Amino acid sequence: MRLYIKQWDELADIKDELAKRDWFMGTSGNLAIKVSDNPGTFLVTASGKDKKKRTDEDFLLVDDNGYPATPTQQKPSAETLLHVKIYNQTTAGCSLHVHTVDNNVISELYWEQGEVVFKGQEIIKALGIWEEDAEIRIPIIANDGHIPTLAENFSKHVKNDFGAVLIRNHGITVWAKNAFEAKKHLEAYEFLFSYHIKLLSLKSLVKL
């Protein structure tokens, strides 16, 4: 762990902050941060851990195929392959996956469209998009229980060094150049989801 203490601490700090928001219900969710490019390695959350607690076994180092890179009793998160696709296809440095009520609701509401679109929201600037009346599109993919198939479908939308994909009734995966940017992007997406759901609810009440 001494060789990657900086990345460990960065990921642990993010885990603590997101846990305080109740974004890891029932041990759900997983986080990853790149450690090296050659060979490709990254830290990822250990499977089945209570993410509201901070321990020395929260993460483990894996290689660019998602297998443990050092001897360990820990198992990498079941969805480690999603992070593998990100680090093998981009130069992103951090990726975050959380299950929230809001992102699940949005994924179900817009499943048939295959994406959800947001436009003209000030918070979009947090994604580094500063154009007037900017628009973002977040793809929604099926929640395939076979992780290799899920990862393959997910990989089709991993085209840039930052981005996000919603998995229907499952969660969102966000990636960016570093831990700070990834957390900022995740917060922006979750803001958009929460705002949109509240707006739809208010509009339905007004109609009544």
Side-chain angles (χ1 to χ4, degrees):
M1 178 175 159
R2 293 178 183 176
L3 297 177
Y4 40 85
I5 187 69
K6 177 179 180 292
Q7 292 94 335
W8 185 289
D9 286 344
E10 281 187 294
L11 207 56
D13 287 344
I14 288 178
K15 182 177 73 68
D16 289 349
E17 186 172 340
L18 301 187
K20 290 177 182 177
R21 300 177 184 179
D22 281 335
W23 286 3
F24 295 129
M25 300 299 288
T27 76
S28 66
N30 44 81
L31 316 173
I33 190 168
K34 185 183 289 185
V35 172
S36 63
D37 288 312
N38 190 21
T41 61
F42 61 92
L43 289 170
V44 68
T45 41
S47 179
K49 294 291 183 180
D50 183 351
K51 296 176 181 67
K52 294 181 181 180
K53 298 180 180 179
R54 188 163 181 163
T55 75
D56 291 335
E57 297 183 334
D58 289 337
F59 313 113
L60 64 154
L61 189 70
V62 298
D63 61 23
D64 56 8
N65 291 310
Y67 296 111
T70 58
T72 178
Q73 297 297 315
Q74 306 301 314
K75 292 183 179 180
S77 167
E79 292 148 353
T80 296
L81 278 180
L82 302 183
H83 303 287
V84 166
K85 295 296 184 181
I86 291 167
Y87 298 132
N88 286 346
Q89 294 177 206
T90 76
T91 62
C94 184
S95 47
L96 311 173
H97 173 77
V98 299
H99 306 193
T100 68
V101 174
D102 288 341
N103 67 44
N104 272 247
V105 170
I106 288 291
S107 73
E108 181 63 18
L109 282 174
Y110 293 96
W111 162 247
E112 292 185 359
Q113 290 91 324
E115 65 178 4
V116 58
V117 181
F118 296 102
K119 184 176 182 179
Q121 296 286 327
E122 181 70 13
I123 198 71
I124 291 176
K125 291 179 180 178
L127 304 174
I129 304 170
W130 291 80
E131 289 84 357
E132 191 72 26
D133 219 22
E135 177 181 278
I136 60 164
R137 296 174 177 270
I138 308 166
I140 305 170
I141 63 173
N143 183 23
D144 198 303
H146 184 245
I147 299 301
T149 300
L150 176 64
E152 192 59 37
N153 292 334
F154 173 85
S155 71
K156 297 172 185 177
H157 301 282
V158 181
K159 301 175 182 178
N160 300 305
D161 294 335
F162 70 92
V165 174
L166 277 165
I167 304 171
R168 185 185 185 187
N169 286 327
H170 181 151
I172 188 171
T173 299
V174 174
W175 63 95
K177 66 179 180 180
N178 56 42
F180 172 78
E181 290 293 316
K183 183 174 77 74
K184 182 175 68 170
H185 288 200
L186 178 61
E187 291 169 340
Y189 287 120
E190 289 293 334
F191 174 96
L192 288 167
F193 300 154
S194 181
Y195 170 85
H196 191 66
I197 291 168
K198 289 180 173 63
L199 185 61
L200 290 179
S201 298
L202 289 172
K203 284 183 175 179
S204 66
L205 286 175
V206 170
K207 288 181 180 179
L208 294 174

